[in-house]
Amino acid sequence: MNAQLPTTDKMKPVRPRDAASLVLIDNESAEPRILMGKRHAKMKFIPDAFVFPGGKLDPHDHVAEAATPLNADQSLSLTGAGNAKTKALAMAAVRETYEETGYLLAEQGDVGPTTGDTWNEFRDLGLAPALHHISFMARAITPRQSPIRFHARFFQAPKSALTGTLKGSGELTDLDWYPLSEALKLPIIDVTEFILTELKNAEKGYPRVSPPLYCYLNNKPRVLEPKPR
């Protein structure tokens, strides 16, 4: 069941804001389970829809240091950003996941001189993001007609790399590990359905050669497959 992205024809297109999500996968069961939560009904952007942990790129994410780097991979050239920004997006995905779920994708390390409440917590714990567990999945750009737009990058990581206990911050409700087949039946938007379908295809042995771009042309969804640089 799909929720609808807000659209309007009465305003000039707004510039998409950079965002990142972390798709966490539990492969210890017969069927993969995905961590998802439901956005509150009062939220302006896709209320009542189930989503992956994630959010907007924050200026502090550019300054924060990781315990381990992203794995060198041609797919990283398909994030629509340079190396430094791609790292910052991965850092944002880790930060947002901790804020929204309580889970840490981190190892012993120093986040450096960056500020912000969450990065200060990482510093106090003596931890920094372990980016080597992350791989890039896809990116998506909200329709031009939407009054709230995002250029979202989707990363994935295994549950086995996480530490901490699931404890929502209140931003997402009904946080849980949903079997992939059940996740596809939740109230989700088309982009989320696309990501879950990508996971389903990969499980069946049909992964994409390179991470796709989910976008909209003439307000209709379109999947593009850019080639690595």
Side-chain angles (χ1 to χ4, degrees):
M1 181 169 62
N2 286 336
Q4 295 295 316
L5 285 169
T7 60
T8 179
D9 294 322
K10 298 182 180 180
M11 62 183 294
K12 293 182 180 180
V14 297
R15 184 172 181 173
R17 289 177 281 183
D18 289 305
S21 289
L22 190 56
V23 183
L24 294 166
I25 307 168
D26 177 9
N27 284 310
E28 296 178 358
S29 303
E31 180 181 11
R33 298 189 304 157
I34 314 300
L35 182 62
M36 301 183 71
K38 185 179 180 182
R39 291 174 60 83
H40 283 297
K42 294 182 179 180
M43 289 184 170
K44 293 182 179 179
F45 187 73
I46 54 173
D48 293 321
F50 277 79
V51 296
F52 313 111
K56 293 182 293 184
L57 178 64
D58 187 279
H60 302 301
D61 301 327
H62 290 274
V63 184
E65 296 294 341
T68 60
L70 288 164
N71 292 318
D73 190 301
Q74 280 191 323
S75 68
L76 294 180
S77 68
L78 299 177
T79 63
N83 293 339
K85 189 173 184 179
T86 294
K87 177 205 166 191
L89 287 161
M91 297 287 279
V94 173
R95 172 183 55 75
E96 287 282 350
T97 295
Y98 175 60
E99 292 174 355
E100 295 179 351
T101 73
Y103 280 131
L104 284 157
L105 184 67
E107 295 182 359
Q108 288 187 335
D110 182 5
V111 294
T114 188
T115 55
D117 292 342
T118 302
W119 291 126
N120 286 337
E121 288 186 39
F122 272 74
R123 183 181 295 106
D124 292 342
L125 292 168
L127 298 174
L131 300 186
H132 70 285
H133 291 296
I134 289 177
S135 59
F136 178 58
M137 283 188 67
R139 64 186 175 111
I141 303 177
T142 314
R144 287 171 57 85
Q145 290 80 5
S146 176
I148 303 174
R149 301 186 68 204
F150 293 99
H151 185 171
R153 281 73 165 191
F154 294 87
F155 299 89
Q156 69 179 40
K159 181 185 179 183
S160 59
L162 301 174
T163 58
T165 304
L166 184 61
K167 50 179 181 180
S169 64
E171 186 171 344
L172 298 178
T173 63
D174 300 314
L175 268 171
D176 205 349
W177 294 91
Y178 293 90
L180 183 52
S181 59
E182 295 300 318
L184 281 161
K185 298 175 184 177
L186 295 171
I188 52 178
I189 62 172
D190 54 356
V191 174
T192 307
E193 181 181 25
F194 173 73
I195 295 296
L196 291 172
T197 301
E198 289 289 289
L199 292 175
K200 185 175 181 179
N201 290 338
E203 182 191 15
K204 291 181 177 179
Y206 306 113
R208 288 185 185 270
V209 175
S210 61
L213 165 62
Y214 190 93
C215 58
Y216 300 82
L217 297 177
N218 298 320
N219 206 30
K220 295 181 179 179
R222 179 85 177 270
V223 179
L224 304 179
E225 299 193 34
K227 295 181 180 180
R229 296 193 298 267

